[in-house]
Amino acid sequence: MGLELYLDLLSAACRAVYIFARKNSIPFDFQFVDLLKGHHHSKEYIEINPLKKLPSLKEGKFVLSESVAILFYLCRKYSTPSHWYPPDLHIRARVDEFLAWQHTAIQMPMSKVLWIKMLIPMITGEEVPAEKAEQMLAEVKNSMQLFEEKFLQDKMFITGNHISLADVVALVEMMQPMGGNYNVFLNSPKIAEWRMRVELAIGSNLFWEAHDRLMKLAEWDCSTLDPMVKERICELLQKFK
Amino acid sequence: MGLELYLDLLSQPCRGVYIFAKKNGIPFELRAAEALKGYLVSKEFTQLNILQKIRILKDGDFVLSESTAILIYLSSRYQTADHWYPSELRARARVHEYLGWHADCICGTFGVPLWTQVLAPLIGVCVTEEKVERNKAAMAQALQQLEDKFLGDWAFLNSQQVTLADLMALKELMQPIALGCDLFEGRPKLAAWREQVEAFLGTDLCQETHGPILNILKQVANKTVPPPPPEIYPYMLFRISRIP
């Protein structure tokens, strides 16, 4: 029994793992868990990951969740090139610092933009109050600025001249609003150039293949949405009010 | 100049770094950073850390923020005992798995009671009952998951020995405990885990580290908490608005 990865590429965290595994030719079985159909709440999936989150890695009886943990695990287990997670203490610490910071500073606001711009209006028929939406977008802008000043600076990639896990995680998160036709790269030429470099380092085919489901989100027929997921989205709308 | 740590023991992440450094005998100079005195937004501090958060490490010219990164850095740099951040592949993966979940489900959730009960009232803001209840439910769910998924039958989180995960968890949970929330009521497993972690760290060190936060209610009652200077009001209002 080989490596199984439980994924839905709608999730940025899943895309990071998918891109990394494919780029490094790590053989795995892609187990699709459809978030929009609520399959992450299914009995079968709960047995694999009781926290009902994606992505998950399964290797025989060993099950691991959390994308950063999975990325580190794959790095070591498959002895991927050292630039992904450099051995130098200071450079590695910078990657760790970014990966810790991005949870609240990048992942949350970027995913919220997708909810606000696309999913909530599409599913509930209601718009999030303009003031809250503005607040969210301001937060995104602030995070992008901090990213540029603190992590990217004048370098080609976050750690210097080579792509690392930090760049992959950063980019897939920043792509999330694209699913709702909101492009966060427009404000900063520096970040837009970095985005291109990361895409090329990954390989454009792989990059866009990984983002295909996200980019087609607008075409999705939301009448097939799982009622439990719909309920959760309505709850989310309440939090924004 | 050796290792400098800019820490405010009222802040959960700072406590984790402080305890780890002291427990492992890592020599450092403590630079007290007190959030409530506006230190956070002072120019000098901002230059040091653009991210405008406390929990800073300065090692010569090298500056690092984010407690997770700092703890991992210290464990490697000072070659601390393996159990903290195990070198074995799967054991280490478990620590990272916890830290990832912690960032989503513990951070930001267990810090809310300090804001709702102490900090917001300090600047005359009242957080709605709805948000307070929502936070209580979030904490309850997180504690259940902590117990079921991460503690299970282990002595510590996913391990038979103390790891960075236990440190990060405990220092967050101390925040609402300090305010009188009995998180471990009806949760004997978690209560036992807490005792084991504190026993391992040592009572003196725990008292020293948790002293300031455990005193906070007393300070509020005695009105000895310094009122925050106006320049940090915008930051505080921003943090309050982020409470879901």
Side-chain angles (χ1 to χ4, degrees):
Chain A
M1 179 149 342
L3 179 69
E4 293 174 284
L5 294 175
Y6 290 77
L7 310 166
D8 180 337
L9 297 181
L10 209 50
S11 135
C14 289
R15 289 196 298 275
V17 169
Y18 178 77
I19 285 174
F20 183 75
R22 287 282 313 274
K23 178 68 184 171
N24 286 283
S25 306
I26 294 169
F28 67 91
D29 276 331
F30 185 120
Q31 301 287 4
F32 178 45
V33 181
D34 194 333
L35 283 169
L36 296 173
K37 296 209 174 116
H39 288 175
H40 52 307
H41 294 282
S42 69
K43 261 195 226 131
E44 295 84 6
Y45 189 65
I46 290 177
E47 254 168 56
I48 297 188
N49 182 355
L51 295 175
K52 304 179 221 170
K53 288 166 84 184
L54 292 176
S56 289
L57 170 153
K58 190 167 184 287
E59 224 173 23
K61 289 206 179 118
F62 179 66
V63 177
L64 186 66
S65 60
E66 295 300 327
S67 55
V68 171
I70 293 172
L71 288 168
F72 284 156
Y73 179 82
L74 292 176
C75 252
R76 263 182 82 181
K77 173 104 195 243
Y78 294 89
S79 303
T80 56
S82 66
H83 64 82
W84 288 110
Y85 192 45
D88 173 270
L89 208 54
H90 288 181
I91 302 178
R92 177 167 286 203
R94 202 57 74 211
V95 174
D96 288 334
E97 187 187 39
F98 174 77
L99 291 174
W101 177 75
Q102 61 87 24
H103 271 281
T104 36
I106 307 270
Q107 185 185 74
M108 270 197 332
M110 294 291 170
S111 132
K112 275 187 187 158
V113 171
L114 186 63
W115 288 107
I116 289 174
K117 288 268 167 190
M118 167 78 81
L119 292 169
I120 289 176
M122 188 196 253
I123 288 158
T124 67
E126 273 183 68
E127 296 281 336
V128 170
E131 192 195 310
K132 291 278 175 173
E134 284 308 311
Q135 215 176 43
M136 201 72 261
L137 294 178
E139 215 181 299
V140 166
K141 221 174 163 189
N142 189 42
S143 291
M144 295 296 277
Q145 214 175 319
L146 286 174
F147 172 74
E148 189 177 324
E149 282 170 19
K150 161 88 182 174
F151 292 103
L152 187 57
Q153 296 169 344
D154 289 316
K155 296 169 276 157
M156 287 190 25
F157 298 98
I158 291 169
T159 56
N161 293 332
H162 299 281
I163 190 174
S164 71
L165 292 177
D167 302 282
V168 175
V169 170
L171 184 52
V172 294
E173 301 288 357
M174 292 176 189
M175 288 294 292
Q176 201 70 351
M178 294 285 231
N181 291 321
Y182 188 82
N183 186 339
V184 306
F185 305 103
L186 291 176
N187 289 324
S188 160
K190 231 193 218 180
I191 299 187
E193 281 167 22
W194 162 82
R195 190 208 78 72
M196 200 62 212
R197 278 196 291 273
V198 178
E199 178 191 320
L200 291 174
I202 288 169
S204 293
N205 283 342
L206 173 56
F207 181 81
W208 289 109
E209 184 208 315
H211 285 87
D212 189 56
R213 186 159 149 79
L214 177 72
M215 301 309 285
K216 292 195 169 124
L217 188 57
E219 298 163 28
W220 166 63
D221 173 12
C222 63
S223 66
T224 63
L225 180 66
D226 175 73
M228 208 189 324
V229 181
K230 179 165 184 174
E231 201 185 297
R232 196 190 148 233
I233 292 169
C234 293
E235 267 173 43
L236 255 181
L237 174 61
Q238 295 313 311
K239 274 196 213 171
F240 283 125
K241 279 194 168 153
Chain B
M1 174 112 27
L3 184 69
E4 292 168 79
L5 295 176
Y6 291 71
L7 305 173
D8 176 353
L9 293 184
L10 283 182
S11 144
Q12 310 89 297
C14 290
R15 289 198 290 275
V17 172
Y18 184 81
I19 286 187
F20 184 76
K22 295 286 281 215
K23 179 69 183 170
N24 287 286
I26 294 171
F28 67 93
E29 250 184 273
L30 178 66
R31 301 262 185 241
E34 288 180 39
L36 290 179
K37 286 196 180 145
Y39 202 84
L40 259 185
V41 294
S42 77
K43 274 217 187 87
E44 177 195 281
F45 199 69
T46 314
Q47 264 161 11
L48 194 54
N49 180 28
I50 281 171
L51 295 178
Q52 288 201 325
K53 285 174 169 180
I54 322 173
R55 68 254 202 189
I56 298 302
L57 171 150
K58 192 165 181 287
D59 199 355
D61 286 332
F62 179 64
V63 176
L64 189 64
S65 65
E66 296 298 330
S67 47
T68 308
I70 292 173
L71 289 170
I72 293 173
Y73 176 79
L74 289 176
S75 71
S76 306
R77 170 103 160 74
Y78 293 91
Q79 311 255 288
T80 54
D82 189 70
H83 67 83
W84 285 110
Y85 189 50
S87 44
E88 194 274 319
L89 179 64
R90 286 183 175 180
R92 181 167 288 195
R94 287 280 174 238
V95 173
H96 280 292
E97 184 184 49
Y98 175 76
L99 293 176
W101 177 83
H102 175 102
D104 284 336
C105 298
I106 302 276
C107 274
T109 301
F110 287 80
V112 169
L114 181 67
W115 282 94
T116 57
Q117 291 180 40
V118 178
L119 298 175
L122 266 184
I123 60 170
V125 171
C126 179
V127 180
T128 65
E129 194 57 38
E130 190 191 334
K131 288 192 175 196
V132 171
E133 287 308 312
R134 197 178 281 146
N135 175 248
K136 279 194 189 146
M139 287 198 290
Q141 186 185 47
L143 288 171
Q144 196 60 53
Q145 287 176 343
L146 185 67
E147 192 174 318
D148 295 339
K149 154 85 184 167
F150 294 101
L151 192 56
D153 294 321
W154 297 101
F156 300 99
L157 301 178
N158 276 332
S159 173
Q160 288 298 79
Q161 291 186 286
V162 173
T163 69
L164 297 180
D166 301 283
L167 258 192
M168 294 286 285
L170 187 61
K171 51 91 178 159
E172 285 285 343
L173 299 188
M174 282 317 293
Q175 203 84 327
I177 286 173
L179 300 168
C181 302
D182 190 359
L183 294 181
F184 301 123
E185 189 187 335
R187 297 184 194 277
K189 256 195 195 176
L190 282 181
W193 161 80
R194 175 211 173 162
E195 270 177 41
Q196 298 230 74
V197 178
E198 289 190 333
F200 178 81
L201 295 172
T203 328
D204 287 346
L205 179 56
C206 288
Q207 264 171 11
E208 186 192 326
T209 314
H210 294 134
I213 190 65
L214 286 170
N215 267 334
I216 201 75
L217 274 181
K218 242 189 256 171
Q219 287 178 321
V220 170
N222 295 338
K223 300 196 201 294
T224 50
V225 180
E231 58 259 26
I232 71 165
Y233 276 39
Y235 172 72
M236 288 179 72
L237 289 169
F238 169 68
R239 285 289 300 269
I240 292 164
S241 72
R242 285 189 82 172
I243 297 171

